[in-house]
């Protein structure tokens, strides 16, 4: 069986193995694939894997030998499911692999804002501590998490894990789906919901008006949830004390993004999910999905 991985670099840049898939069939791995080359690269392959490439109805029609589509992630909105079902093509994903690392990264962002590690480390390397008249050098006041409140919007596996960590820090947890007012009145608001047609851009100027002055916003979910111009304005006005994002609306980030240069904004480039442990799970479960399909099973089938 011919297997093609269209964009394997982000999952396995070389520190992992595709051996489980290699044991199943003849495998061709492309680090990344331009959209216009997808059909050519799939060719007569029976099984393909993709992380972000769009597998449209047109792609399926042009590749009649295709029988299996594996998504190297949990989200599968880049696959035309109706077209796959009509053609009898199995579609599988990898659910739950990112719960631990995304929850961890959420708190890495919260702690960066509360403890300002990067700012103070740079000050030390710049020689400011060496020249300080005091034994300590405080460039910006630190914030203690104990006694603060965390509003969680999206209470699936990741949201629940974030809540557990927050409680360990002594924080009060307010769940938006249970008590919207309490959640929006929290000191820190963190997003963990999927982006849907109904909620795209819902974190906007109206949303910020409902928050307490000086609130902090965290987003490790989907960039499309936030109106980025409104976020930049809220940071510039001081309505928000700070924000930290791992995702933006359109990735990689545009050079003209209104977020670039916004004050008190921390951004990481969509890396929360990407620990080696999590990527190893993706490789293993992807192989398990194919094995199950070949045996007539339905492991992690979406369709």
């Amino acid at each position: 069986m011919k297997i093609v991985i269209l964009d394997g670099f982000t999952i396995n840049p070389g520190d992992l193995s595709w051996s489980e898939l290699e044991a199943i069939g003849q495998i061709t791995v492309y680090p990344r694939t331009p959209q216009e080359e997808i059909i050519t690269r799939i060719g007569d392959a029976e099984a393909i894997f993709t992380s972000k490439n769009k597998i449209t109805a047109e792609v399926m029609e042009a590749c009649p030998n295709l029988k299996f589509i594996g998504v190297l992630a949990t989200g599968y909105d880049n696959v035309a499911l109706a077209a796959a079902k009509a053609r009898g093509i199995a579609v599988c994903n990898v659910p739950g692999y990112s719960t631990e690392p995304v929850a961890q990264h959420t708190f890495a962002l919260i702690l960066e804002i509360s403890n300002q590690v990067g700012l103070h480390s740079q000050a030390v390397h710049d020689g400011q501590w060496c020249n300080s008249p005091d034994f300590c050098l405080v460039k910006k006041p630190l914030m203690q998490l104990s006694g603060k409140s965390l509003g969680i919007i999206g209470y699936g596996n990741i949201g629940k894990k974030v809540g557990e960590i927050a409680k360990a820090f002594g924080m009060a947890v307010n769940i938006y789906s249970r008590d919207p007012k309490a959640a929006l009145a929290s000191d820190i608001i963190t997003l963990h919901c999927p982006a849907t047609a109904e909620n795209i851009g819902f974190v906007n100027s109206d949303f910020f008006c409902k928050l307490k002055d000086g609130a902090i916003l965290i987003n490790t979910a989907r960039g499309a949830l936030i109106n980025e111009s409104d976020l930049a304005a809220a940071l510039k006005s001081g309505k928000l004390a700070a924000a930290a994002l791992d995702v933006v609306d359109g990735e990689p980030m545009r050079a003209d993004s209104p977020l670039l240069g916004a004050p008190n904004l921390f951004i990481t480039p969509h890396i929360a999910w990407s620990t080696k442990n999590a990527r190893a799970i993706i490789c293993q479960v992807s192989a398990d999905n194919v094995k199950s399909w070949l045996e007539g099973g339905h492991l992690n089938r979406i369709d």
Side-chain angles (χ1 to χ4, degrees):
M1 181 175 69
K2 289 186 178 180
I3 302 171
V4 173
I5 300 176
L6 292 169
D7 50 348
F9 181 80
T10 55
I11 308 301
N12 179 12
D15 57 349
L16 294 170
S17 170
W18 297 111
S19 59
E20 293 288 336
L21 283 173
E22 291 171 343
I24 298 172
Q26 177 187 339
I27 180 174
T28 301
V29 180
Y30 295 100
R32 53 192 66 83
T33 295
Q35 193 68 26
E36 63 272 15
E37 294 183 25
I38 288 178
I39 292 172
T40 300
R41 289 189 172 180
I42 292 176
D44 60 352
E46 296 173 75
I48 65 168
F49 286 90
T50 180
S51 176
K52 297 300 179 185
N53 277 124
K54 297 184 184 300
I55 310 301
T56 64
E58 291 73 21
V59 169
M60 298 177 204
E61 183 176 359
C63 303
N65 207 41
L66 187 60
K67 299 294 186 297
F68 177 94
I69 299 171
V71 181
L72 298 165
T74 300
Y76 47 84
D77 54 349
N78 55 327
V79 178
L81 293 181
K85 185 175 182 179
R87 293 180 173 275
I89 300 173
V91 181
C92 297
N93 70 338
V94 184
Y97 73 93
S98 65
T99 298
E100 299 288 340
V102 173
Q104 174 180 310
H105 196 80
T106 297
F107 264 87
L109 296 175
I110 291 173
L111 288 167
E112 175 57 36
I113 292 172
S114 66
N115 285 59
Q116 298 289 324
V117 172
L119 173 69
H120 287 93
S121 177
Q122 188 60 54
V124 172
H125 285 288
D126 289 344
Q128 294 182 40
W129 195 19
C130 298
N131 298 316
S132 172
D134 304 307
F135 73 92
C136 64
L137 175 70
V138 180
K139 298 292 295 180
K140 191 173 182 178
L142 309 188
M143 180 180 74
Q144 185 167 311
L145 294 181
S146 176
K148 297 293 185 182
S149 54
L150 181 70
I152 301 176
I153 301 179
Y155 202 58
N157 290 336
I158 295 174
K160 290 174 182 175
K161 188 65 181 180
V162 168
E164 291 177 11
I165 298 172
K167 290 176 181 177
F169 273 101
M171 302 182 75
V173 174
N174 300 314
I175 303 164
Y176 182 83
S177 58
R178 299 178 185 175
D179 191 343
K181 288 185 179 180
L184 295 181
S186 299
D187 298 300
I188 303 173
I189 315 296
T190 182
L191 306 179
H192 299 289
C193 53
T196 66
E198 292 74 29
N199 69 8
I200 287 178
F202 86 98
V203 181
N204 54 23
S205 57
D206 291 338
F207 178 92
F208 295 132
C209 285
K210 298 174 184 176
L211 306 184
K212 67 194 306 182
D213 291 343
I216 294 168
L217 178 70
I218 309 293
N219 186 15
T220 55
R222 288 290 182 263
L225 297 171
I226 296 177
N227 181 308
E228 295 181 343
S229 295
D230 288 356
L231 172 57
L235 288 164
K236 290 174 183 176
S237 71
K239 175 62 180 179
L240 290 180
L245 317 172
D246 185 55
V247 288
V248 297
D249 190 8
E251 296 170 347
M253 192 178 201
R254 302 187 310 276
D256 62 350
S257 170
L259 299 177
L260 290 173
N264 299 313
L265 176 60
F266 301 83
I267 307 176
T268 52
H270 203 146
I271 57 172
W273 64 277
S274 66
T275 63
K276 186 175 181 180
N277 305 69
R279 292 183 290 106
I281 291 172
I282 294 174
C283 293
Q284 181 62 61
V285 173
S286 294
D288 292 341
N289 288 345
V290 179
K291 293 174 185 176
S292 174
W293 168 66
L294 289 172
E295 295 168 358
H298 289 76
L299 182 63
N300 297 318
R301 283 279 290 268
I302 299 164
D303 48 327

